[in-house]
Amino acid sequence: MTENSSPSAVQQLPYAPSDPDAPRLQQVHVTVDAAQELGALDRPWASLGYDEINWTYTPQGRRTLRTIGGFAETPYHVRPHNIFNSGTGFGLPHWGSGNVYHEDADGKPFYDFTIADLTYDAIVEAGHHPLVELAFTPLALVPEEARTDFPFGDSPSQYSGYEAGWWTYPPKDYAKWGGLVAALVEHALERYGADEVQHWLWELWNEPDISYWKGTPEQFHELYDVTVKSIREVYPEAKVGGPAVTGGDRGAEFLRGFLQACADRDLPVDFVSFHTKGSHFTPWRTYGPIGAPASLQQSPSTPKMLREIDRALAVIEEFQRYAGQPVIVDECDASVPAHWGIYDNSNFAYRNNEYYPVFQAKLMKKVLDLNEQHTAKVHEATTWSFQIEGERYFEGTRSFVTAAGVEKPLMNAYRAFALLGDRRIAASSDSSADISDISALGNGLAEEVDVLASRASADGSVAVLVWRHTDDQYAADTTTARVDLEVNGLDSGDWTVQHYRIDHSHSNSHTVWQDLGEPQDPTPEQLATITDRQGLERFAADAAVTVDGSLSLTLDLPLPSLSLLVLTRAV
């Protein structure tokens, strides 16, 4: 229903595999200076979103939110679609309904917050805050022209023309839309209180630059005007923003027009949002056997995502009034769509294994580096990942868990992020990719070892995240690269070193499942074996070391892999 689902919506730059015979990294030097603080370590990873709002409050949806809330170092913003869509509340892939808005026989609006309460209760109770995407048009507000402009034939696999696309039309009565928005904000304040709702974000629509908005840009600007004023009349302190455009040329142009219209109308934009995707595999759906032939093997492109972020930040910087506001890339994903997997296109296999968590670590660090080149800065880079009801084990969907709630390796990237301290410290690698010139990067980053390091204000512990990765999921290399890690600026004395690892053999439920024969109906004993290995695992026993200002360690990293070292002063 979203996520650039038409081929024209995405600049198609999937990264084709590199030469399998190309030489691999053999020895790398990484240096960390624990005494050189670079300021607060922002947490761009602390947000998630998904299409299927009605899966928020299923048993598995609640468990997934609680799991993340249990290890998260800060509350996540959670952004589901479809709160205003009409429907039964029955969850389907790529679709959902909050079913809030209704009208009586005389056309007078009334509201039902049953599904909204289930949704936001689940998010808040797990320790997170909603990013409320105010979308899409309820059935009672669909204009008459939708039925002729978007005709629909009876189909046993679709409910009606409304689900097929009428929801994309601007509401026929902007005053009633404003009343709906105000009613939701008022209800949220009554149910959760201002102490909670002060953390919520309120965003109009989703990707209005493509087919999810059948109106004109000017109609969208007017709807934003109505929406903001309706929210602020109820809750003056509310944080409002948008426009959640795609990362292509059309998205950049729509973003520019939106910000200009807001400036002209003297409207607040408390955060600016847009999206980026790393690949739209071609052909998108193969209908073929599992396992892509070499001619069809493709991988997500980090440079594509960085170029789209870079361009959008430059557009925002054209408007001094808004350039200092937080930027939210509230769909920031390696490939589209979320609900497709290896049975649609085998290139989605990376979502099951160690490639994806390492990709995420690399991407988040590059986003932080990109922020240093801009006045406008990415505050959140949202993974559009949650969970898919009814899937097969390791279906390859973009999700934190698979069937039976088994956690995929992706979850462990976020566990590793949570162990980083609050202050960023200087760190460098002699094999990291240079992103100072985004246009020169090509379609994929070559193999690198890179690093992100931090210090915790509370106890002085130092965390060093080191990874080996290339934008080629078919380039796995079990031959390790030697990484000579030097950590300087440490207080002299006794320290403890904890070493966590994500690779083919660690923190990887997928590998365990494969070793058991890939059962689609695992026995209780097999399921216990899988879940026992699904968390973030130690690579080695904790080590006690005596430090005289610096510490030298050697890591052996296969491709792809990630190591997290946490250095703590001994008590």
Side-chain angles (χ1 to χ4, degrees):
M1 190 207 69
T2 183
E3 292 203 88
N4 312 317
S5 59
S6 61
S8 63
V10 177
Q11 290 185 339
Q12 296 185 38
L13 291 172
Y15 182 46
S18 56
D19 181 359
D21 298 322
R24 296 294 174 200
L25 290 175
Q26 295 182 341
Q27 188 165 357
V28 178
H29 190 76
V30 172
T31 303
V32 176
D33 187 349
Q36 185 179 349
E37 284 197 6
L38 304 179
L41 176 57
D42 294 329
R43 333 295 285 194
W45 49 80
S47 60
L48 64 95
Y50 44 94
D51 300 278
E52 302 86 2
I53 190 170
N54 306 109
W55 292 347
T56 306
Y57 48 85
T58 62
Q60 183 54 57
R62 290 176 181 274
R63 283 192 292 268
T64 302
L65 290 171
R66 287 197 302 267
T67 295
I68 295 171
F71 65 69
E73 74 281 32
T74 186
Y76 280 37
H77 272 121
V78 179
R79 177 186 184 254
H81 284 335
N82 306 326
I83 187 61
F84 286 160
N85 286 62
S86 300
T88 64
F90 184 72
L92 294 170
H94 229 39
W95 177 254
S97 53
N99 203 41
V100 173
Y101 184 85
H102 307 275
E103 294 183 1
D104 64 18
D106 297 324
K108 182 179 179 181
F110 65 97
Y111 312 107
D112 181 354
F113 296 108
T114 302
I115 294 174
D117 291 347
L118 288 169
T119 300
Y120 300 132
D121 284 358
I123 293 170
V124 171
E125 289 169 3
H128 309 298
H129 305 306
L131 189 161
V132 182
E133 179 195 294
L134 300 164
F136 294 92
T137 298
L139 180 59
L141 291 180
V142 170
E144 287 303 316
E145 62 264 26
R147 293 162 171 80
T148 54
D149 293 349
F150 201 101
F152 178 82
D154 290 338
S155 167
S157 60
Q158 288 278 357
Y159 286 109
S160 72
Y162 176 71
E163 286 82 5
W166 295 350
W167 49 269
T168 63
Y169 284 78
K172 63 183 179 182
D173 189 320
Y174 277 23
K176 289 182 175 179
W177 172 272
L180 167 61
V181 170
L184 180 62
V185 177
E186 184 175 17
H187 180 77
L189 285 168
E190 291 174 351
R191 188 172 183 86
Y192 304 103
D195 287 347
E196 166 60 29
V197 178
Q198 67 174 320
H199 302 292
W200 294 25
L201 303 178
W202 304 86
E203 177 184 61
L204 177 63
W205 221 258
N206 176 72
E207 298 183 350
D209 56 305
I210 57 172
S211 58
Y212 311 126
W213 175 257
K214 293 298 193 298
T216 65
E218 292 72 23
Q219 287 175 302
F220 185 83
H221 303 157
E222 179 64 27
L223 190 64
Y224 184 77
D225 192 326
V226 170
T227 300
V228 168
K229 290 174 180 176
S230 298
I231 294 171
R232 288 289 181 86
E233 285 177 5
V234 175
Y235 185 37
E237 293 79 24
K239 299 178 179 68
V240 295
V245 293
T246 65
D249 294 337
R250 187 163 44 181
E253 191 57 35
F254 195 102
L255 175 61
R256 181 178 288 109
F258 169 78
L259 293 176
Q260 185 63 63
C262 290
D264 292 344
R265 293 168 180 252
D266 193 27
L267 293 174
V269 182
D270 299 314
F271 63 93
V272 184
S273 59
F274 60 87
H275 300 164
T276 181
K277 308 292 179 177
S279 55
H280 178 135
F281 298 135
T282 307
W284 200 8
R285 175 176 261 164
T286 62
Y287 296 96
I290 305 302
S295 60
L296 295 179
Q297 289 180 356
Q298 299 164 26
S299 297
S301 168
T302 307
K304 175 186 182 295
M305 302 179 75
L306 296 177
R307 278 192 289 268
E308 291 179 349
I309 295 171
D310 181 68
R311 175 171 53 183
L313 293 178
V315 170
I316 296 167
E317 288 166 348
E318 296 173 15
F319 301 87
Q320 184 175 359
R321 174 175 178 175
Y322 304 123
Q325 300 294 67
V327 173
I328 301 180
V329 190
D330 52 14
E331 292 185 27
C332 185
D333 299 300
S335 64
V336 292
H339 65 301
W340 285 9
I342 58 174
Y343 303 100
D344 302 288
N345 185 320
S346 58
N347 288 310
F348 290 122
Y350 78 89
R351 296 170 170 178
N352 285 331
N353 59 38
E354 65 275 12
Y355 184 93
Y356 197 18
V358 186
F359 180 96
Q360 286 297 94
K362 175 175 73 172
L363 177 63
M364 293 300 111
K365 193 267 184 178
K366 305 304 183 192
V367 167
L368 290 171
D369 289 347
L370 192 59
N371 275 349
E372 298 303 311
Q373 303 176 26
H374 284 276
T375 303
K377 299 184 186 300
V378 175
H379 183 67
E380 295 178 12
T382 304
T383 179
W384 203 248
S385 305
F386 188 46
Q387 58 101 16
I388 304 292
E389 295 281 335
E391 70 171 34
R392 290 159 283 194
Y393 281 87
F394 296 98
E395 185 97 11
T397 57
R398 199 173 62 231
S399 53
F400 284 104
V401 300
T402 186
V406 172
E407 296 173 9
K408 295 163 70 172
L410 174 64
M411 185 79 84
N412 290 320
Y414 290 80
R415 284 193 170 94
F417 294 152
L419 294 175
L420 292 172
D422 58 315
R423 309 296 295 176
R424 188 172 181 182
I425 57 178
S428 63
S429 166
D430 62 12
S431 79
S432 63
D434 181 8
I435 66 165
S436 59
D437 184 0
I438 300 293
S439 62
L441 292 178
N443 281 350
L445 288 187
E447 183 183 348
E448 69 165 8
V449 170
D450 205 359
V451 57
L452 177 64
S454 67
R455 180 188 282 274
S457 298
D459 62 3
S461 61
V462 173
V464 182
L465 198 63
V466 183
W467 57 88
R468 181 185 177 199
H469 198 269
T470 181
D471 277 4
D472 181 0
Q473 65 174 307
Y474 299 98
D477 184 9
T478 57
T479 301
T480 59
R482 171 175 168 164
V483 178
D484 295 318
L485 171 64
E486 183 178 354
V487 184
N488 300 315
L490 295 172
D491 295 336
S492 296
D494 295 330
W495 291 71
T496 299
V497 180
Q498 297 173 318
H499 186 179
Y500 301 88
R501 170 66 65 84
I502 303 173
D503 62 17
H504 185 73
S505 303
H506 299 85
S507 311
N508 198 328
S509 59
H510 181 247
T511 301
V512 179
W513 175 74
Q514 288 181 314
D515 290 344
L516 292 172
E518 304 186 358
Q520 284 297 339
D521 185 18
T523 66
E525 292 77 18
Q526 288 175 321
L527 193 56
T529 299
I530 297 168
T531 57
D532 186 57
R533 299 289 310 283
Q534 67 184 1
L536 184 62
E537 295 183 322
R538 296 287 219 282
F539 183 70
D542 294 355
V545 295
T546 300
V547 172
D548 185 13
S550 65
L551 176 65
S552 296
L553 299 169
T554 298
L555 309 177
D556 292 313
L557 294 180
L559 179 69
S561 63
L562 175 155
S563 273
L564 171 67
L565 296 114
V566 180
L567 284 59
T568 308
R569 283 296 303 269
V571 178

